[in-house]
């Protein structure tokens, strides 16, 4: 089944978001057919805040490694690291040449929405140069609570789909009625973050075709690491984990 076809299965594609090779391999071993990346995880694991463009070079390296895995790979490229559509298209073409199957690209800079026509121009340039790459155009209306209405979100989403976007990502959207309305109005797969209280089946019934874990796995791993250290400090039994030998073998299976 192609990456595009995974967005049209009975249930939404659940896309776990990795931040390095080891986390991606763990998702592969768990049976996921596709793996995304988390710009938050990639940035903060290197000591940088999310959203300041620090993942640009890291993604180049990560993309080459992840593309070797036997799954589809989608890379979070923030806003494309440039306001010049041609430069964004060149960057995505580089990732595509490395074997990446998709990208997420957001319509905000420094936590502020950009004009939808500016983002649409990036999408069009990317699709013109790399038509095989699945472009998931992110609409940040709900994420940053700016123009966080159904009409404004639909207007942006339609502009990006018209420009060639293969999917639309609306992080922060969680109201079932709004989800249903946006999914019905946009002729492209709707991607959401994990939505508390709604199962994959319930999201499918609302029209959602893809669900991303975002930075939750990364943040959960950091919390788990602290629990291990504090358990030892406090004289408690630390939680069980994959053995050293198995963790080593996982990496060896995917040179």
């Amino acid at each position: 089944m192609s990456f595009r076809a995974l967005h049209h299965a009975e249930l939404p594609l659940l896309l776990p978001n990795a931040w390095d090779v080891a986390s991606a391999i763990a998702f592969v071993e768990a049976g996921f057919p596709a793996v995304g990346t988390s710009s938050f995880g990639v940035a903060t694991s290197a000591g940088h805040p999310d959203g300041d463009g620090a993942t640009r070079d890291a993604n180049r390296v990560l993309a080459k490694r992840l593309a070797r895995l036997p799954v589809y790979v989608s890379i979070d490229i923030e806003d494309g690291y440039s306001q010049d559509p041609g430069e964004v298209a060149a960057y995505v073409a580089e990732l595509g040449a490395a074997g990446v199957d998709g990208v997420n690209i957001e319509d905000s800079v420094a936590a502020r929405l950009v004009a939808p026509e500016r983002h649409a121009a990036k999408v069009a340039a990317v699709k013109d140069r790399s038509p095989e790459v699945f472009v998931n155009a992110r609409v940040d209306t709900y994420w940053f609570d700016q123009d966080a209405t159904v009409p404004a979100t639909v207007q942006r989403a339609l502009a990006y789909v018209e420009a060639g976007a293969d999917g639309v990502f609306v992080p922060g959207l969680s109201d079932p009625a709004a989800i249903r309305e946006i999914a019905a109005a946009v002729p492209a797969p709707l991607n959401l973050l994990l939505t508390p209280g709604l199962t994959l089946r319930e999201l499918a019934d609302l029209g959602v075709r893809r669900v991303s874990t975002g930075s939750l796995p990364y943040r959960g791993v950091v919390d788990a690491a602290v629990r291990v250290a504090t358990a030892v400090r406090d004289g408690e039994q630390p939680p069980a984990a994959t053995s050293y030998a198995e963790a080593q073998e996982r990496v060896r299976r995917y040179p």
Side-chain angles (χ1 to χ4, degrees):
M1 183 178 291
S2 69
F3 186 51
R4 187 178 305 277
L6 289 174
H7 294 75
H8 299 281
E10 179 181 357
L11 291 178
L13 167 64
L14 178 58
L15 190 72
N17 296 95
W19 57 94
D20 60 11
V21 175
S23 57
I25 288 175
F27 290 135
V28 171
E29 296 272 299
F32 289 94
V35 173
T37 64
S38 159
S39 66
F40 180 90
V42 174
T44 62
S45 63
H48 303 287
D50 188 21
D52 67 355
T55 60
R56 178 179 182 135
D57 292 334
N59 275 341
R60 286 190 171 106
V61 176
L62 190 57
K64 292 177 181 178
R65 295 298 306 276
L66 298 190
R68 301 176 189 173
L69 300 177
V71 297
Y72 298 109
V73 173
S74 181
I75 301 290
D76 183 346
I77 63 169
E78 300 183 30
D79 69 340
Y81 312 112
S82 173
Q83 296 312 302
D84 181 280
E87 291 181 359
V88 177
Y91 181 81
V92 174
E94 184 179 346
L95 298 184
V100 166
D101 303 286
V103 295
N104 274 6
I105 181 168
E106 59 203 42
D107 66 350
S108 61
V109 177
R112 299 297 303 176
L113 293 175
V114 300
E117 57 269 21
R118 288 174 57 190
H119 193 62
K122 292 183 184 180
V123 171
V126 169
K127 290 302 294 183
D128 181 64
R129 182 155 179 178
S130 303
E132 75 287 354
V133 174
F134 189 104
V135 175
N136 200 37
R138 182 169 134 174
V139 182
D140 278 343
T141 48
Y142 285 87
W143 188 245
F144 291 120
D145 195 24
Q146 297 167 26
D147 291 337
T149 66
V150 168
T153 301
V154 168
Q155 180 183 22
R156 285 176 172 269
L158 291 177
Y160 308 154
V161 172
E162 184 177 354
D166 303 282
V168 172
F169 182 25
V170 188
L173 177 63
S174 60
D175 176 67
I179 294 171
R180 187 186 299 278
E181 191 172 351
I182 292 171
V186 179
L190 176 62
N191 179 197
L192 298 183
L193 285 174
L194 293 173
T195 306
L198 292 175
T199 66
L200 289 180
R201 168 55 64 189
E202 290 168 332
L203 288 169
D205 291 342
L206 293 173
V208 177
R209 303 311 320 146
R210 172 165 149 182
V211 175
S212 298
T213 62
S215 63
L216 179 59
Y218 169 74
R219 291 182 284 113
V221 165
V222 172
D223 290 347
V226 173
R227 285 195 294 272
V228 168
T230 55
V232 175
R233 181 194 64 190
D234 298 340
E236 302 171 356
Q237 185 68 26
T242 300
S243 71
Y244 176 89
E246 173 56 22
Q248 279 275 70
E249 184 56 31
R250 277 180 180 171
V251 177
R252 290 194 176 102
R253 283 196 286 267
Y254 304 100

